[in-house]
Amino acid sequence: MIARISPAPLGGTVSAIASKSDAHRLLILAALSRGETKLLMEQRSEDIDATISCLRALGATIEILPDGVFVGGIERVNENPLLDCGESGSTFRFMLPVACALSERVRFTGSGRLPERPIGELMRVMQAHGVAFSAERLPFETTGRLTGGDFSLPGNVSSQYLTGLLLALPTLDEDSTISLTTRLESAAYVDITQHALRRFGVQVRAENGVYAVSGGQAIQSPGTLRVDGDWSNAAFFLAAGALGNPVTMTGLNLESPQGDKAIVTALRTFGAQVEATADEVTVSPAQLAGCTIDVGETPDLLPILAVLGACAEGETRLVNAARLRLKESDRLASVSAMLRALGGAVEELPDALVITGGTLVGGTVDSCRDHRIAMSAAIASIRCTREVTILGADAVNKSYPAFYQDFNHLGGHADVV
């Protein structure tokens, strides 16, 4: 799919979509719980649908409703299920320990760049706790049930390893501990996990990098829950408000554990005008100035922060970003290629980007099948002088299928064919 976008400022009001991060966790806990759960969420995405597919394969009853999803807990696990994780790293890393806690034999597959993304450290600790793998990368089959006990993991590869275990271990008979051998990066994602666990009555004790999880916990459905608004995807249209006309996004919770609400601070650091209330944020344009931002805790913000840097005066440095090379694309390389294709100036370092602000021209951007590259290029078009063409524009379906509709609703001129 190709998107052709004519430069135009965006402005107006749009509602935040449901948080992919929150939805993954709540769906899994609902499937593991006793009883029935309704999750209120008006929009889904390919990644969320991948998690739904995997839970159905395990035996959960899931019905799609106009205003959300109905989940009936797993009463009996299907024999030798096949879990297709699509291109969703979250689905894969969460479902791997969860499925192996429930079943002696499970088949896993995935597509796109997923088989290349890191999983080795999680496999290692699972092998030490009763699980054997037929191969070192997807597709593979697991044999043996996950057992509890003491786990040891690095915290600087993927917080998703820790989340997967935190979701699985309460279902086991044994008590468990997870000890981190390095500092936890992207800690806010684990905060989202702990918040979700508490909503289902599960207790985890965390202190000094050690997580203690009692076995045999009853995961209790709270009945009806609303999935948080998505700060990660809201960041794109909030950034648009700094580049064009004022943009208001509703349905955002400033008390959310999502780390990407840091976009509010980042926009203010660039110099944009930001007004935030309990459930909505308005961003208005101003003269932007280059700055240095550490993205170690919020790596998903780097692509849109890079666009802001390209439109700011002076130099912007996005640092502590080495892990972005392991995302849906090598995001340091793909973001650099995007900016250069649009006429920007960027230096790619092993763990950072250095961006010199100036005038963006326009051109053709390859999304690299990465949703955040496609959305960033679309927002960058606001400040371009000629058309922006995005190859692989349908990559947005991974997290935000209605992105171009909302883009045009705000006054954009995106023609998607």
Side-chain angles (χ1 to χ4, degrees):
M1 185 178 289
I2 297 174
R4 293 186 174 89
I5 305 176
S6 300
L10 303 189
T13 300
V14 67
S15 298
I17 64 170
S19 165
K20 185 161 66 81
S21 297
D22 201 30
H24 284 305
R25 292 157 172 81
L26 296 180
L27 282 164
I28 291 169
L29 288 167
L32 294 175
S33 72
R34 299 174 181 175
E36 301 172 342
T37 307
K38 182 177 180 180
L39 300 178
L40 299 173
M41 47 187 292
E42 284 72 23
Q43 296 186 45
R44 305 188 323 279
S45 64
E46 288 181 349
D47 278 12
I48 292 173
D49 284 346
T51 292
I52 289 173
S53 172
C54 289
L55 293 171
R56 282 173 169 161
L58 284 173
T61 300
I62 300 180
E63 180 184 354
I64 306 302
L65 305 173
D67 60 345
V69 179
F70 167 87
V71 184
I74 298 170
E75 296 182 358
R76 184 176 67 180
V77 179
N78 292 330
E79 185 176 351
N80 193 19
L82 172 62
L83 274 59
D84 186 347
C85 301
E87 297 186 39
S88 175
S90 298
T91 301
F92 180 35
R93 290 163 177 163
F94 298 169
M95 292 305 307
L96 183 57
V98 166
C100 291
L102 299 177
S103 179
E104 292 276 352
R105 187 180 298 270
V106 187
R107 293 168 292 154
F108 290 87
T109 189
S111 55
R113 202 165 182 245
L114 186 60
E116 303 169 27
R117 297 179 66 180
I119 197 68
E121 290 290 346
L122 182 56
M123 292 175 68
R124 176 186 62 79
V125 296
M126 291 180 63
Q127 287 169 331
H129 287 264
V131 180
F133 294 81
S134 65
E136 294 183 354
R137 52 179 283 178
L138 291 174
F140 57 60
E141 183 177 46
T142 64
T143 52
R145 203 82 161 265
L146 183 68
T147 59
D150 297 326
F151 295 76
S152 178
L153 277 174
N156 62 343
V157 179
S158 175
S159 65
Q160 292 174 350
Y161 298 169
L162 176 55
T163 284
L165 290 172
L166 289 174
L167 293 171
L169 296 181
T171 69
L172 304 180
D173 293 334
E174 310 95 335
D175 294 345
S176 300
T177 62
I178 309 169
S179 301
L180 299 182
T181 59
T182 62
R183 186 182 74 87
L184 178 63
E185 295 190 9
S186 296
Y189 287 103
V190 179
D191 293 339
I192 298 172
T193 305
Q194 292 179 281
H195 179 61
L197 288 165
R198 288 192 294 270
R199 297 173 86 178
F200 281 82
V202 177
Q203 299 300 314
V204 173
R205 299 182 303 280
E207 187 175 359
N208 298 324
V210 178
Y211 296 78
V213 185
S214 298
Q217 295 193 53
I219 301 176
Q220 298 286 355
S221 170
T224 299
L225 290 176
R226 175 164 291 282
V227 178
D228 254 2
D230 192 330
W231 280 97
S232 300
N233 281 324
F236 295 96
F237 288 129
L238 293 176
L243 300 176
N245 294 321
V247 171
T248 297
M249 294 209 69
T250 62
L252 292 173
N253 176 14
L254 284 173
E255 301 302 317
S256 168
Q258 294 174 63
D260 284 347
K261 67 184 179 183
I263 186 63
V264 170
T265 300
L267 285 163
R268 287 174 172 152
T269 301
F270 272 108
Q273 299 179 33
V274 183
E275 298 178 14
T277 64
D279 62 355
E280 70 177 39
V281 179
T282 299
V283 180
S284 301
Q287 180 63 56
L288 304 183
C291 54
T292 296
I293 297 179
D294 186 331
V295 297
E297 294 298 317
T298 55
D300 286 342
L301 292 181
L302 179 136
I304 192 59
L305 294 178
V307 170
L308 290 169
C311 299
E313 284 190 354
E315 182 180 275
T316 294
R317 302 179 67 91
L318 304 176
V319 302
N320 196 16
R323 287 186 303 127
L324 280 127
R325 296 196 182 278
L326 305 175
K327 294 287 188 176
E328 286 84 344
S329 66
D330 176 342
R331 281 193 182 147
L332 295 186
S334 56
V335 169
S336 297
M338 172 190 68
L339 292 181
R340 292 188 185 111
L342 297 176
V346 57
E347 180 185 1
E348 179 186 338
L349 303 178
D351 62 350
L353 294 182
V354 181
I355 302 154
T356 302
T359 301
L360 295 180
V361 178
T364 299
V365 173
D366 184 346
S367 75
C368 301
R369 300 302 310 155
D370 188 328
H371 53 138
R372 301 200 190 279
I373 302 301
M375 289 188 280
S376 295
I379 299 302
S381 73
I382 295 170
R383 287 292 186 89
C384 289
T385 58
R386 58 183 176 84
E387 185 177 84
V388 172
T389 299
I390 304 172
L391 307 180
D394 53 324
V396 303
N397 293 336
K398 181 176 174 61
S399 66
Y400 197 164
F403 173 78
Y404 296 112
Q405 292 96 303
D406 286 347
F407 183 91
N408 288 340
H409 168 75
L410 290 172
H413 300 152
D415 182 19
V416 184
V417 295

